[in-house]
Amino acid sequence: MKFQGNATALSLLAALVAPLGCTSGGGSSGAGNTDGGPAVVLSPKGKVLEAAENEKDPDAGATKTEAAKSERVEIPGGTFVAGSTPGDKGRDPVLEAAELEVKLGDYTIDRYLYPNDPQKPPLTGVSRAKAAELCEQTGGRLCTELEWERACKGPEGTDYAGRASWDTKCAKEPASCASGFGVLGMGAAYREWTASEVLPIEDMQPRAAAVRGARGSASGPDHRCAHRTAIDPGASAEDLGFRCCRGAPNASVIPSPQWEQTYKRVELPVKDLAEMFASVPAFSSLDREITYFKEPDDVNVVLARGDAGGPPPNTVLTTSPLLWNPVPGEQIVVLAGRAGKDSFVVAFYRLPGDRYRIASTLVLKDEKGPIALGFNGYVRKRLSWATCWDCRGESGNVTYRDDGRVVITQK
């Protein structure tokens, strides 16, 4: 058989999801397996868009935003989309909201980092409490993180301050880079304290102070307006500054995601899957006659081909599509099937509004399968696939990496 892989096609496909009797998981130690109840039903629609990694720079040749003259910027009240899209480069699903719609009242934000004076360097090396005290002395307050993010994304909701992509010049000359609202240096060369908290997640994330922005030397995706880190509020650093806001503080907060059951079975009609594949470049050469493998017959075939005699303890083999929760805040659909003379394994990020984005694909040329998926509900970041269970060259893994990328590999 021949293998073809593609890990970066983008899909925005609507789906209707109704949980039907699946047991929910507790903390990280209580994930559990699927319980054999009715599957989650998916009804996707829409078309696949290009992967973010393959898009051309949308800012090529763009003119920089003209900065306002005032040292304070009025941000009008309104609704914006906070956070990022599952599958975005650099996204941490544990910390970043998934396309969270937020309504804020109007407020004023300093155009520059404290002391909000273009003739003076930003003040760094202070704790969050000290930063809040200094803002109060000027008649202001420390900005909340959602106020910071809205000011950064601007009226157009750009990923980076004033732009759709990162410009390395901003790290060297932060005052030359304005957000769509005219606020300068946001996410360019400094991290910034906010008044907000990162709420705890069981066994994973303690309560901490929410910090926005990034140091100049950080990787490109860390300069996104949605980038968020959790820091001890008593900490201080040379790259950690702050800016002040005025007006009544907005009460909206970013909720922390919680642990879910690691795997749930899903139902996705083949006609809907075929429509999804029709606009995925990686599947352009596949036959449109798509079928799933049968359970339990095809599972038994995969087992019989191998020498192991059966799966490892606590491992379940299935030909059903799975809804996978490797970490809090991330949902991925993994499935296998046959298209004409070829077989495939594919993983989709699940987006809010029941849309989908390709995470990773593997096409097995001239291989009719069957393929079984194997999972252990207590192994959160990896599951297996096989045409011959535990046979070299005919099996592999679907792995969720620490950087949030999904890869499908062959052993």
Side-chain angles (χ1 to χ4, degrees):
M1 72 186 78
K2 298 178 181 179
F3 297 85
Q4 293 182 348
N6 182 346
T8 59
L10 172 64
S11 173
L12 294 177
L13 299 155
L16 175 63
V17 179
L20 302 175
C22 292
T23 303
S24 61
S28 60
S29 62
N33 293 320
T34 59
D35 62 3
V40 177
V41 179
L42 305 179
S43 301
K45 41 187 175 286
K47 69 176 185 177
V48 177
L49 304 179
E50 184 56 89
E53 291 86 346
N54 297 333
E55 290 178 345
K56 295 181 179 179
D57 182 0
D59 290 321
T63 302
K64 283 189 176 294
T65 304
E66 289 294 328
K69 298 299 182 182
S70 172
E71 291 181 3
R72 293 175 185 164
V73 179
E74 298 287 341
I75 307 296
T79 300
F80 83 107
V81 178
S84 51
T85 302
D88 279 354
K89 284 185 176 180
R91 180 175 187 267
D92 184 345
V94 174
L95 291 173
E96 293 182 27
E99 298 181 346
L100 178 66
E101 189 171 284
V102 177
K103 185 175 183 179
L104 299 180
D106 58 335
Y107 58 98
T108 301
I109 188 170
D110 286 352
R111 182 169 173 243
Y112 303 90
L113 277 77
Y114 184 91
N116 195 31
D117 184 340
Q119 304 304 316
K120 297 179 180 180
L123 176 65
T124 61
V126 299
S127 68
R128 185 172 70 167
K130 183 62 176 179
E133 178 185 336
L134 291 170
C135 282
E136 290 174 2
Q137 290 176 5
T138 67
R141 57 177 174 80
L142 202 57
C143 302
T144 72
E145 63 173 325
L146 286 170
E147 291 169 342
W148 191 98
E149 185 173 341
R150 173 157 166 76
C152 182
K153 287 185 171 179
E156 301 300 325
T158 56
D159 290 342
Y160 299 81
R163 297 178 62 87
S165 59
W166 172 237
D167 184 352
T168 56
K169 294 179 181 178
C170 293
K172 300 176 182 178
E173 302 176 12
S176 69
C177 292
S179 76
F181 284 123
V183 186
L184 300 182
M186 302 197 83
Y190 295 91
R191 294 178 295 160
E192 299 186 36
W193 285 118
T194 75
S196 302
E197 303 290 319
V198 175
L199 301 178
I201 300 174
E202 180 187 355
D203 298 333
M204 188 171 196
Q205 173 63 55
R207 190 182 186 93
V211 168
R212 294 307 188 102
R215 58 176 58 90
S217 60
S219 64
D222 284 354
H223 296 274
R224 292 171 300 116
C225 295
H227 179 65
R228 184 179 187 235
T229 52
I231 295 178
D232 184 326
S236 62
E238 292 184 358
D239 70 300
L240 183 54
F242 63 99
R243 70 181 76 218
C244 306
C245 284
R246 287 166 177 77
N250 283 277
S252 298
V253 299
I254 296 176
S256 285
Q258 300 303 313
W259 293 102
E260 299 179 26
Q261 182 173 312
T262 314
Y263 301 99
K264 299 177 184 178
R265 299 176 193 269
V266 298
E267 291 182 1
L268 176 60
V270 290
K271 65 180 182 63
D272 294 333
L273 183 61
E275 291 178 5
M276 294 167 70
F277 279 12
S279 54
V280 177
F283 293 146
S284 60
S285 63
L286 289 182
D287 193 294
R288 290 292 170 254
E289 292 298 321
I290 296 174
T291 59
Y292 288 121
F293 301 112
K294 297 178 181 179
E295 189 165 342
D297 295 350
D298 284 339
V299 170
N300 293 332
V301 170
V302 172
L303 279 172
R305 289 174 175 173
D307 298 326
N314 300 319
T315 298
V316 176
L317 265 62
T318 184
T319 58
S320 297
L322 297 172
L323 183 62
W324 179 25
N325 176 233
V327 296
E330 196 85 279
Q331 288 189 333
I332 298 168
V333 174
V334 182
L335 54 88
R338 180 168 60 235
K341 62 180 181 178
D342 305 321
S343 295
F344 58 83
V345 182
V346 61
F348 294 91
Y349 292 106
R350 185 180 177 213
L351 282 57
D354 294 328
R355 297 170 293 133
Y356 290 86
R357 184 180 199 170
I358 285 286
S360 190
T361 67
L362 179 69
V363 175
L364 285 65
K365 302 297 291 183
D366 300 317
E367 170 59 66
K368 294 186 177 181
I371 300 175
L373 301 175
F375 64 91
N376 180 331
Y378 298 96
V379 179
R380 282 203 169 262
K381 293 189 176 183
R382 186 184 69 256
L383 63 150
S384 302
W385 65 267
T387 60
C388 171
W389 187 252
D390 210 25
C391 299
R392 183 170 295 278
E394 298 182 66
S395 60
N397 293 318
V398 185
T399 304
Y400 185 84
R401 302 191 318 196
D402 289 342
D403 63 359
R405 315 313 293 173
V406 177
V407 293
I408 303 175
T409 55
Q410 173 195 6
K411 290 182 181 178

